[in-house]
Amino acid sequence: SDEPVEEPVLKSFDLKNAAEYMSKCSNIIVMAGAGISTSAGIPDFRSPGTGLYSQLSKYDLPSPEAIFHLEFFRNNPKPFFLLAKELYPQKFTPTPTHFFIRLLNEKNKLLRIFTQNIDSLERIAGIPSEKIVEAHGTFFTSHCLNCRKEYDLEFVKEVIFKDEIPHCTDCDGIVKPDIIFFGESLPDRFQQCVQSDFSKADFLIIIGTSLQVAPFNRLVSFVDKNCPRLLINMEPAGKATSIWDLGSSSLLYDTNKNRRDVFHKSTCDDGVTELAKLLGWEDDFNKLLESE
Ligand code: APR
């Protein structure tokens, strides 16, 4: 085709050159998924065998994801609350990846982290809340499905650890944690930050996610066409899986059209440790890990 071949943004598509480019950036967006919390002992969703969705057979669900469907929940909230009890990490310990993202912020390079996770480990790692977008909500607050009365984490925790269903003290409706179920729209803050942030981003880090869930996965296509996109994950993700994906919504690291995408295949913690080293932040990173 006679369209001008645009210059690649990166000299080569590896972590070393991504780090070199990153060192000049100051508006980095991070898109995170369950893979950044697995080393804290919280299972992800889709890893074969260990992922949550392969461990739900005991709940006799129509499909694994039904446990996060609003209609299913209204009729039968029991499986969700049993799972919430199982998932309730006794101790909250963020991972090196959470601390690397905090270090990005302390180096004045973090524009925002958009996380799909509901474990609140980003907050607990000390990333300022104005820098966090919890795209799939959080357990920190709950609301009555009927009258919308708000409840805190303690109220729900006490009830689910008695294997009961939390009911509203005013109208007896079911109290549901504010995590986003399939069928619910994402928080307003998600839409607002997407509007304001993605045009400003000068680097995108995608980490610990299979990029299977919309609309979150579409964010990869919202950054400028010259903004590098670094995927750190144990398996490839976000590739054009069908003709419908071709174009800007997929990562092109394994195509001959690639100009700015890097896929670094590693665990999240190993990947960020190597990145910290390449950025010359090894001492600061280790100090942060030791201090927490
Ligand atoms: N290091 C690197 N990658 C990892 C690690 C790790 N330690 N552990 C898991 N992964 C990778 C897996 O290979 C997978 O590609 O992280 C990805 C996790 O993908 P999912 O389990 O699909 O989790 P996520 O992408 O966050 O799911 C998105 O699905 O059900 C919904 O709302 C739920 O927010 C969740 C959304």
Side-chain angles (χ1 to χ4, degrees):
S1 70
D2 55 3
E3 64 190 48
V5 177
E6 292 188 276
E7 275 304 298
V9 178
L10 295 172
K11 283 203 292 292
S12 65
F13 306 115
D14 54 43
L15 197 70
K16 184 171 174 304
N17 280 288
E20 204 176 293
Y21 190 100
M22 258 179 83
S23 60
K24 303 182 306 273
C25 295
S26 53
N27 282 303
I28 298 175
I29 287 183
V30 175
M31 288 172 58
I36 73 166
S37 295
T38 49
S39 66
I42 304 174
D44 70 7
F45 292 90
R46 293 176 180 82
S47 282
T50 54
L52 207 58
Y53 287 148
S54 59
Q55 298 173 33
L56 297 177
S57 43
K58 58 178 171 274
Y59 295 120
D60 183 26
L61 303 167
S63 76
E65 293 185 333
I67 203 155
F68 293 118
H69 271 273
L70 202 52
E71 282 329 300
F72 181 86
F73 176 81
R74 282 184 200 280
N75 299 322
N76 178 9
K78 191 74 189 154
F80 170 79
F81 284 113
L82 286 177
L83 178 70
K85 180 183 170 191
E86 235 183 274
L87 261 188
Y88 206 96
Q90 296 316 328
K91 54 186 176 47
F92 283 108
T93 40
T95 68
T97 300
H98 291 98
F99 288 115
F100 176 80
I101 298 163
R102 172 171 151 186
L103 187 57
L104 269 183
N105 188 54
E106 290 174 3
K107 296 283 184 184
N108 300 315
K109 288 175 170 292
L110 180 68
L111 173 53
R112 200 86 67 189
I113 168 170
F114 289 78
T115 183
Q116 299 169 91
N117 298 343
I118 56 175
D119 53 35
S120 308
L121 289 185
E122 297 86 3
R123 302 182 195 206
I124 288 145
I127 301 166
S129 53
E130 74 273 5
K131 290 290 178 89
I132 302 171
V133 173
E134 291 162 324
H136 291 171
T138 170
F139 260 105
F140 258 57
T141 50
S142 298
H143 284 84
C144 167
L145 282 182
N146 271 352
C147 69
R148 304 304 303 154
K149 180 177 177 185
E150 179 164 320
Y151 291 86
D152 66 11
L153 185 59
E154 279 319 304
F155 172 86
V156 170
K157 180 180 174 183
E158 202 185 309
V159 174
I160 65 175
F161 276 83
K162 287 189 290 192
D163 284 343
E164 290 167 11
I165 309 285
H167 281 274
C168 177
T169 52
D170 286 0
C171 75
D172 201 35
I174 301 175
V175 171
K176 172 188 152 304
D178 292 344
I179 64 169
I180 305 298
F181 275 34
F182 293 106
E184 287 187 297
S185 55
L186 272 57
D188 293 345
R189 177 166 164 73
F190 173 81
Q191 315 296 355
Q192 287 149 12
C193 291
V194 168
Q195 290 304 320
S196 65
D197 296 353
F198 277 78
S199 54
K200 272 194 287 205
D202 51 16
F203 198 92
L204 178 65
I205 298 176
I206 306 148
I207 185 160
T209 177
S210 65
L211 289 174
Q212 302 273 311
V213 173
F216 188 89
N217 57 3
R218 289 197 210 106
L219 296 184
V220 300
S221 64
F222 290 7
V223 290
D224 180 86
K225 68 178 174 41
N226 290 323
C227 171
R229 302 181 298 189
L230 167 62
L231 171 68
I232 299 176
N233 206 55
M234 279 207 289
E235 62 175 5
K239 298 199 291 184
T241 45
S242 73
I243 183 76
W244 317 115
D245 284 5
L246 276 183
S248 64
S249 73
S250 54
L251 300 175
L252 303 175
Y253 45 78
D254 62 349
T255 72
N256 56 14
K257 289 189 295 186
N258 187 20
R259 299 176 48 249
R260 46 95 176 241
D261 291 341
V262 176
F263 168 42
H264 181 73
K265 183 180 168 66
S266 83
T267 66
C268 298
D269 294 344
D270 287 352
V272 298
T273 301
E274 204 176 324
L275 200 45
K277 227 176 264 170
L278 289 166
L279 289 162
W281 299 352
E282 199 170 358
D283 295 347
D284 294 342
F285 186 49
N286 290 334
K287 241 184 267 157
L288 192 53
L289 294 184
E290 280 141 28
S291 70
E292 288 298 326

